[in-house]
Amino acid sequence: MKKGIGCVVLIGLGAVVLIAGLWLAGAYNGLVTRNEQVDSAWAQVQNVLQRRGDLIPNLVETVKGYAAHEKEIFESVAEARGRLAGATSPAEAAAANAGLTSALGRLLAIAENYPQLKANENFIRLQDELAGSENRIATERMRFNDSVRVYNTLIKRFPNNFIAGFFNFGEKEYFEATAEAREVPKVKF
């Protein structure tokens, strides 16, 4: 009789360990999946930022043909574009993006002073593509921040917080607007 009870206890313990192991594996895999979703969303933000960055030289060259004496603006755009290309974190990218948006705003404001430029078909097409890129950037930033929110919530909730801590799943940064981005760009002629 004792052998039968010992067997049942052993089988019961084995079942508990198996269920706990399956739960742990499922929770870990869920964290890995959410982490990859955040990384994928960040890659898409970088993709649309790069698309905009690729359009900028064409826009600058088009404006240069009409406003060659506006050298400071062209340098400002190039410098801001370089900072954005070198950004490695969402915080750095947000700051660089704000600087580039400000520089582009000044560039487009200068274009207002050149009626022939405003009527140039190439300029109009580039301006439309740039506007489309800005919309894509806003959408991808929103998707990235949504992914970060879901992931950060998941790693903070009980009992996932223990698993996240054990396997070193850390909190992710949001893509936040900088103080510069909230200010209206100052345009000097």
PDB file of all heavy atoms in Angstrom, residues 150-168:
ATOM      1  N   VAL A 150       3.001  47.927 -24.169  1.00  0.00           N
ATOM      2  CA  VAL A 150       2.570  46.547 -23.926  1.00  0.00           C
ATOM      3  C   VAL A 150       3.698  45.742 -23.286  1.00  0.00           C
ATOM      4  O   VAL A 150       3.482  45.016 -22.313  1.00  0.00           O
ATOM      5  CB  VAL A 150       2.089  45.888 -25.247  1.00  0.00           C
ATOM      6  CG1 VAL A 150       1.900  44.389 -25.077  1.00  0.00           C
ATOM      7  CG2 VAL A 150       0.803  46.542 -25.722  1.00  0.00           C
ATOM      8  N   TYR A 151       4.901  45.883 -23.819  1.00  0.00           N
ATOM      9  CA  TYR A 151       6.058  45.158 -23.287  1.00  0.00           C
ATOM     10  C   TYR A 151       6.351  45.579 -21.851  1.00  0.00           C
ATOM     11  O   TYR A 151       6.518  44.724 -20.972  1.00  0.00           O
ATOM     12  CB  TYR A 151       7.277  45.410 -24.180  1.00  0.00           C
ATOM     13  CG  TYR A 151       8.565  44.889 -23.592  1.00  0.00           C
ATOM     14  CD1 TYR A 151       8.900  43.544 -23.679  1.00  0.00           C
ATOM     15  CD2 TYR A 151       9.442  45.736 -22.929  1.00  0.00           C
ATOM     16  CE1 TYR A 151      10.077  43.063 -23.133  1.00  0.00           C
ATOM     17  CE2 TYR A 151      10.623  45.263 -22.384  1.00  0.00           C
ATOM     18  CZ  TYR A 151      10.932  43.925 -22.483  1.00  0.00           C
ATOM     19  OH  TYR A 151      12.095  43.455 -21.934  1.00  0.00           O
ATOM     20  N   ASN A 152       6.435  46.892 -21.603  1.00  0.00           N
ATOM     21  CA  ASN A 152       6.741  47.371 -20.246  1.00  0.00           C
ATOM     22  C   ASN A 152       5.677  46.941 -19.246  1.00  0.00           C
ATOM     23  O   ASN A 152       5.995  46.597 -18.108  1.00  0.00           O
ATOM     24  CB  ASN A 152       6.914  48.891 -20.238  1.00  0.00           C
ATOM     25  CG  ASN A 152       8.238  49.330 -20.833  1.00  0.00           C
ATOM     26  OD1 ASN A 152       9.147  48.546 -21.034  1.00  0.00           O
ATOM     27  ND2 ASN A 152       8.337  50.613 -21.138  1.00  0.00           N
ATOM     28  N   THR A 153       4.430  46.944 -19.663  1.00  0.00           N
ATOM     29  CA  THR A 153       3.356  46.478 -18.780  1.00  0.00           C
ATOM     30  C   THR A 153       3.522  45.000 -18.476  1.00  0.00           C
ATOM     31  O   THR A 153       3.381  44.567 -17.328  1.00  0.00           O
ATOM     32  CB  THR A 153       1.977  46.728 -19.432  1.00  0.00           C
ATOM     33  OG1 THR A 153       1.829  48.124 -19.687  1.00  0.00           O
ATOM     34  CG2 THR A 153       0.844  46.250 -18.549  1.00  0.00           C
ATOM     35  N   LEU A 154       3.856  44.226 -19.497  1.00  0.00           N
ATOM     36  CA  LEU A 154       4.014  42.784 -19.330  1.00  0.00           C
ATOM     37  C   LEU A 154       5.132  42.454 -18.348  1.00  0.00           C
ATOM     38  O   LEU A 154       4.966  41.590 -17.481  1.00  0.00           O
ATOM     39  CB  LEU A 154       4.292  42.128 -20.692  1.00  0.00           C
ATOM     40  CG  LEU A 154       4.389  40.609 -20.717  1.00  0.00           C
ATOM     41  CD1 LEU A 154       3.046  39.983 -20.355  1.00  0.00           C
ATOM     42  CD2 LEU A 154       4.830  40.145 -22.089  1.00  0.00           C
ATOM     43  N   ILE A 155       6.262  43.140 -18.455  1.00  0.00           N
ATOM     44  CA  ILE A 155       7.385  42.794 -17.560  1.00  0.00           C
ATOM     45  C   ILE A 155       7.179  43.309 -16.141  1.00  0.00           C
ATOM     46  O   ILE A 155       7.883  42.881 -15.237  1.00  0.00           O
ATOM     47  CB  ILE A 155       8.750  43.273 -18.105  1.00  0.00           C
ATOM     48  CG1 ILE A 155       8.856  44.791 -18.120  1.00  0.00           C
ATOM     49  CG2 ILE A 155       9.047  42.667 -19.447  1.00  0.00           C
ATOM     50  CD1 ILE A 155      10.256  45.314 -18.360  1.00  0.00           C
ATOM     51  N   LYS A 156       6.226  44.204 -15.950  1.00  0.00           N
ATOM     52  CA  LYS A 156       5.974  44.745 -14.602  1.00  0.00           C
ATOM     53  C   LYS A 156       4.863  43.994 -13.865  1.00  0.00           C
ATOM     54  O   LYS A 156       4.724  44.149 -12.657  1.00  0.00           O
ATOM     55  CB  LYS A 156       5.591  46.224 -14.696  1.00  0.00           C
ATOM     56  CG  LYS A 156       6.731  47.112 -15.126  1.00  0.00           C
ATOM     57  CD  LYS A 156       6.264  48.543 -15.269  1.00  0.00           C
ATOM     58  CE  LYS A 156       7.371  49.442 -15.748  1.00  0.00           C
ATOM     59  NZ  LYS A 156       6.903  50.814 -15.973  1.00  0.00           N
ATOM     60  N   ARG A 157       4.072  43.222 -14.609  1.00  0.00           N
ATOM     61  CA  ARG A 157       2.941  42.533 -13.992  1.00  0.00           C
ATOM     62  C   ARG A 157       3.396  41.263 -13.277  1.00  0.00           C
ATOM     63  O   ARG A 157       4.317  40.595 -13.706  1.00  0.00           O
ATOM     64  CB  ARG A 157       1.903  42.175 -15.049  1.00  0.00           C
ATOM     65  CG  ARG A 157       1.238  43.422 -15.623  1.00  0.00           C
ATOM     66  CD  ARG A 157       0.285  43.104 -16.714  1.00  0.00           C
ATOM     67  NE  ARG A 157      -0.900  42.498 -16.124  1.00  0.00           N
ATOM     68  CZ  ARG A 157      -1.871  41.982 -16.834  1.00  0.00           C
ATOM     69  NH1 ARG A 157      -1.812  41.987 -18.143  1.00  0.00           N
ATOM     70  NH2 ARG A 157      -2.910  41.458 -16.243  1.00  0.00           N
ATOM     71  N   PHE A 158       2.707  40.986 -12.187  1.00  0.00           N
ATOM     72  CA  PHE A 158       2.965  39.767 -11.414  1.00  0.00           C
ATOM     73  C   PHE A 158       2.381  38.586 -12.169  1.00  0.00           C
ATOM     74  O   PHE A 158       1.285  38.695 -12.702  1.00  0.00           O
ATOM     75  CB  PHE A 158       2.307  39.896 -10.029  1.00  0.00           C
ATOM     76  CG  PHE A 158       2.486  38.684  -9.186  1.00  0.00           C
ATOM     77  CD1 PHE A 158       3.668  38.478  -8.500  1.00  0.00           C
ATOM     78  CD2 PHE A 158       1.483  37.727  -9.090  1.00  0.00           C
ATOM     79  CE1 PHE A 158       3.840  37.347  -7.720  1.00  0.00           C
ATOM     80  CE2 PHE A 158       1.648  36.602  -8.314  1.00  0.00           C
ATOM     81  CZ  PHE A 158       2.829  36.405  -7.628  1.00  0.00           C
ATOM     82  N   PRO A 159       2.995  37.488 -12.259  1.00  0.00           N
ATOM     83  CA  PRO A 159       4.299  37.052 -11.804  1.00  0.00           C
ATOM     84  C   PRO A 159       5.398  37.224 -12.866  1.00  0.00           C
ATOM     85  O   PRO A 159       6.531  36.809 -12.650  1.00  0.00           O
ATOM     86  CB  PRO A 159       4.083  35.581 -11.489  1.00  0.00           C
ATOM     87  CG  PRO A 159       3.075  35.135 -12.490  1.00  0.00           C
ATOM     88  CD  PRO A 159       2.189  36.342 -12.710  1.00  0.00           C
ATOM     89  N   ASN A 160       5.039  37.848 -13.997  1.00  0.00           N
ATOM     90  CA  ASN A 160       6.040  38.044 -15.058  1.00  0.00           C
ATOM     91  C   ASN A 160       7.229  38.869 -14.588  1.00  0.00           C
ATOM     92  O   ASN A 160       8.324  38.732 -15.126  1.00  0.00           O
ATOM     93  CB  ASN A 160       5.408  38.731 -16.275  1.00  0.00           C
ATOM     94  CG  ASN A 160       4.460  37.829 -17.024  1.00  0.00           C
ATOM     95  OD1 ASN A 160       4.538  36.615 -16.917  1.00  0.00           O
ATOM     96  ND2 ASN A 160       3.562  38.425 -17.770  1.00  0.00           N
ATOM     97  N   ASN A 161       7.006  39.736 -13.592  1.00  0.00           N
ATOM     98  CA  ASN A 161       8.115  40.566 -13.124  1.00  0.00           C
ATOM     99  C   ASN A 161       9.259  39.718 -12.569  1.00  0.00           C
ATOM    100  O   ASN A 161      10.420  40.077 -12.705  1.00  0.00           O
ATOM    101  CB  ASN A 161       7.636  41.601 -12.108  1.00  0.00           C
ATOM    102  CG  ASN A 161       6.942  40.995 -10.909  1.00  0.00           C
ATOM    103  OD1 ASN A 161       6.523  39.840 -10.923  1.00  0.00           O
ATOM    104  ND2 ASN A 161       6.798  41.788  -9.866  1.00  0.00           N
ATOM    105  N   PHE A 162       8.954  38.572 -11.967  1.00  0.00           N
ATOM    106  CA  PHE A 162      10.008  37.686 -11.473  1.00  0.00           C
ATOM    107  C   PHE A 162      10.781  37.049 -12.633  1.00  0.00           C
ATOM    108  O   PHE A 162      12.008  36.976 -12.616  1.00  0.00           O
ATOM    109  CB  PHE A 162       9.426  36.588 -10.571  1.00  0.00           C
ATOM    110  CG  PHE A 162       8.820  37.125  -9.312  1.00  0.00           C
ATOM    111  CD1 PHE A 162       7.459  37.003  -9.080  1.00  0.00           C
ATOM    112  CD2 PHE A 162       9.603  37.769  -8.355  1.00  0.00           C
ATOM    113  CE1 PHE A 162       6.897  37.506  -7.916  1.00  0.00           C
ATOM    114  CE2 PHE A 162       9.052  38.270  -7.193  1.00  0.00           C
ATOM    115  CZ  PHE A 162       7.691  38.147  -6.978  1.00  0.00           C
ATOM    116  N   ILE A 163      10.036  36.603 -13.625  1.00  0.00           N
ATOM    117  CA  ILE A 163      10.670  35.968 -14.795  1.00  0.00           C
ATOM    118  C   ILE A 163      11.494  36.994 -15.559  1.00  0.00           C
ATOM    119  O   ILE A 163      12.621  36.728 -15.966  1.00  0.00           O
ATOM    120  CB  ILE A 163       9.593  35.339 -15.708  1.00  0.00           C
ATOM    121  CG1 ILE A 163       8.852  34.240 -14.939  1.00  0.00           C
ATOM    122  CG2 ILE A 163      10.208  34.781 -16.982  1.00  0.00           C
ATOM    123  CD1 ILE A 163       7.572  33.813 -15.596  1.00  0.00           C
ATOM    124  N   ALA A 164      10.915  38.188 -15.750  1.00  0.00           N
ATOM    125  CA  ALA A 164      11.631  39.253 -16.463  1.00  0.00           C
ATOM    126  C   ALA A 164      12.917  39.618 -15.736  1.00  0.00           C
ATOM    127  O   ALA A 164      13.965  39.813 -16.364  1.00  0.00           O
ATOM    128  CB  ALA A 164      10.736  40.481 -16.610  1.00  0.00           C
ATOM    129  N   GLY A 165      12.855  39.701 -14.428  1.00  0.00           N
ATOM    130  CA  GLY A 165      14.049  40.015 -13.646  1.00  0.00           C
ATOM    131  C   GLY A 165      15.091  38.911 -13.721  1.00  0.00           C
ATOM    132  O   GLY A 165      16.282  39.175 -13.885  1.00  0.00           O
ATOM    133  N   PHE A 166      14.639  37.682 -13.651  1.00  0.00           N
ATOM    134  CA  PHE A 166      15.560  36.547 -13.685  1.00  0.00           C
ATOM    135  C   PHE A 166      16.281  36.447 -15.034  1.00  0.00           C
ATOM    136  O   PHE A 166      17.465  36.141 -15.104  1.00  0.00           O
ATOM    137  CB  PHE A 166      14.806  35.245 -13.383  1.00  0.00           C
ATOM    138  CG  PHE A 166      15.688  34.040 -13.323  1.00  0.00           C
ATOM    139  CD1 PHE A 166      16.483  33.794 -12.217  1.00  0.00           C
ATOM    140  CD2 PHE A 166      15.738  33.147 -14.388  1.00  0.00           C
ATOM    141  CE1 PHE A 166      17.310  32.677 -12.159  1.00  0.00           C
ATOM    142  CE2 PHE A 166      16.559  32.035 -14.336  1.00  0.00           C
ATOM    143  CZ  PHE A 166      17.351  31.795 -13.220  1.00  0.00           C
ATOM    144  N   PHE A 167      15.539  36.709 -16.118  1.00  0.00           N
ATOM    145  CA  PHE A 167      16.115  36.592 -17.461  1.00  0.00           C
ATOM    146  C   PHE A 167      16.586  37.934 -18.028  1.00  0.00           C
ATOM    147  O   PHE A 167      16.855  38.058 -19.221  1.00  0.00           O
ATOM    148  CB  PHE A 167      15.109  35.946 -18.420  1.00  0.00           C
ATOM    149  CG  PHE A 167      14.890  34.484 -18.143  1.00  0.00           C
ATOM    150  CD1 PHE A 167      13.699  34.040 -17.579  1.00  0.00           C
ATOM    151  CD2 PHE A 167      15.871  33.554 -18.433  1.00  0.00           C
ATOM    152  CE1 PHE A 167      13.495  32.693 -17.335  1.00  0.00           C
ATOM    153  CE2 PHE A 167      15.665  32.201 -18.187  1.00  0.00           C
ATOM    154  CZ  PHE A 167      14.472  31.767 -17.629  1.00  0.00           C
ATOM    155  N   ASN A 168      16.673  38.950 -17.186  1.00  0.00           N
ATOM    156  CA  ASN A 168      17.190  40.282 -17.566  1.00  0.00           C
ATOM    157  C   ASN A 168      16.412  40.965 -18.687  1.00  0.00           C
ATOM    158  O   ASN A 168      17.009  41.560 -19.591  1.00  0.00           O
ATOM    159  CB  ASN A 168      18.684  40.207 -17.942  1.00  0.00           C
ATOM    160  CG  ASN A 168      19.543  39.821 -16.770  1.00  0.00           C
ATOM    161  OD1 ASN A 168      19.312  40.263 -15.651  1.00  0.00           O
ATOM    162  ND2 ASN A 168      20.523  38.987 -17.023  1.00  0.00           N
TER     163      ASN A 168
END
